[in-house]
Amino acid sequence: MHVRFLMAAALLAAACNSQAAVVYGSNLVVNGDAEAGLAGWTGYAGYSAFQSVDYGSNWVLPTQPGPADRGNKMFAGFGQYAVGWQTLDFGTATSGTIAYSLTGWLGGWQDQGDNALFYVQFLDEFDNEVGNSVLGPVTPQDRNDQTGLMYRETDGFVPTGTRKLSFWLSMERLVSGDNDGYADNLSFVLQAPPAGEVPEPGVAAVFALGLGMLGWARRSRH
């Protein structure tokens, strides 16, 4: 798929400006629910940015399939390809065994093939990809040709030597004039190591600062 090749090429652009501890049990995707607009997401040169839109008649109705805790907003595509990314630097490479869970709600419009992908790259200290995981696409057949979002999840283990996580959300338009790839409630959570293992080091205060800035962005919308 076109977007997967885009993700590989985008490694060169994944310069990281934020650092955080290896935080367990919390969602490491900033603004994965679209409630703060596009805060936390960076566009990719040459491609459209996706949108943060209200649930409603132009997109997915509150009564149509989707997360029960969907809030007011969701992500929707724009143009033929819409791409956004964010990168998190742990400050040091991981060691030992760290399990993760990657989840999200992805979907589209009726019988149209427009779709969304949620992709995470595991990067070493030199920005080389040492692993990846992906959710999607959700096809019209998966949705029974209904407008809405469907839950997807996958899990695994963070490759040893991972220094950064790079999250990518992309929407692809296949038909019509609108890009109706949809996404909401995107999440990446690390599971705490077994009792007795030493947790990974990091800069927890910087991660807390990032969450505080996200909270400010949400409050500023009201």
Side-chain angles (χ1 to χ4, degrees):
M1 177 172 285
H2 172 90
V3 174
R4 292 196 182 185
F5 289 106
L6 169 65
M7 298 309 178
L11 272 171
L12 298 177
C16 178
N17 294 315
S18 63
Q19 289 190 340
V22 178
V23 177
Y24 301 103
S26 297
N27 185 9
L28 298 184
V29 180
V30 176
N31 188 31
D33 58 8
E35 296 300 309
L38 298 184
W41 296 93
T42 299
Y44 185 63
Y47 292 84
S48 302
F50 46 76
Q51 310 172 75
S52 171
V53 301
D54 292 327
Y55 278 95
S57 58
N58 289 331
W59 313 104
V60 177
L61 293 171
T63 55
Q64 288 176 317
D69 55 343
R70 66 186 67 192
N72 296 315
K73 293 186 175 292
M74 54 175 263
F75 293 117
F78 187 81
Q80 184 172 5
Y81 294 105
V83 181
W85 62 279
Q86 54 182 272
T87 299
L88 180 67
D89 187 343
F90 293 139
T92 186
T94 61
S95 61
T97 301
I98 305 176
Y100 71 84
S101 176
L102 181 70
T103 65
W105 290 77
L106 307 174
W109 178 271
Q110 296 182 354
D111 62 350
Q112 297 178 5
D114 299 2
N115 61 85
L117 281 175
F118 183 40
Y119 183 96
V120 57
Q121 293 174 307
F122 302 97
L123 308 177
D124 67 14
E125 59 182 320
F126 304 108
D127 285 339
N128 298 311
E129 184 179 284
V130 294
N132 63 71
S133 188
V134 64
L135 298 180
V138 169
T139 68
Q141 291 74 27
D142 294 331
R143 296 183 280 101
N144 293 320
D145 293 339
Q146 297 182 66
T147 299
L149 301 108
M150 299 187 69
Y151 181 74
R152 290 290 184 265
E153 66 176 333
T154 187
D155 52 33
F157 296 94
V158 176
T160 299
T162 295
R163 165 72 183 258
K164 303 174 184 177
L165 302 174
S166 191
F167 301 110
W168 293 84
L169 176 61
S170 64
M171 284 82 162
E172 181 180 23
R173 184 185 70 203
L174 296 180
V175 296
S176 79
D178 296 322
N179 186 331
D180 287 305
Y182 304 147
D184 199 1
N185 286 14
L186 306 174
S187 175
F188 181 91
V189 177
L190 297 175
Q191 298 176 16
E197 282 196 19
V198 178
E200 299 290 340
V203 189
V206 180
F207 180 72
L209 176 61
L211 293 179
M213 292 178 65
L214 175 60
W216 176 87
R218 287 182 172 177
R219 289 193 300 273
S220 68
R221 295 178 58 86
H222 298 291

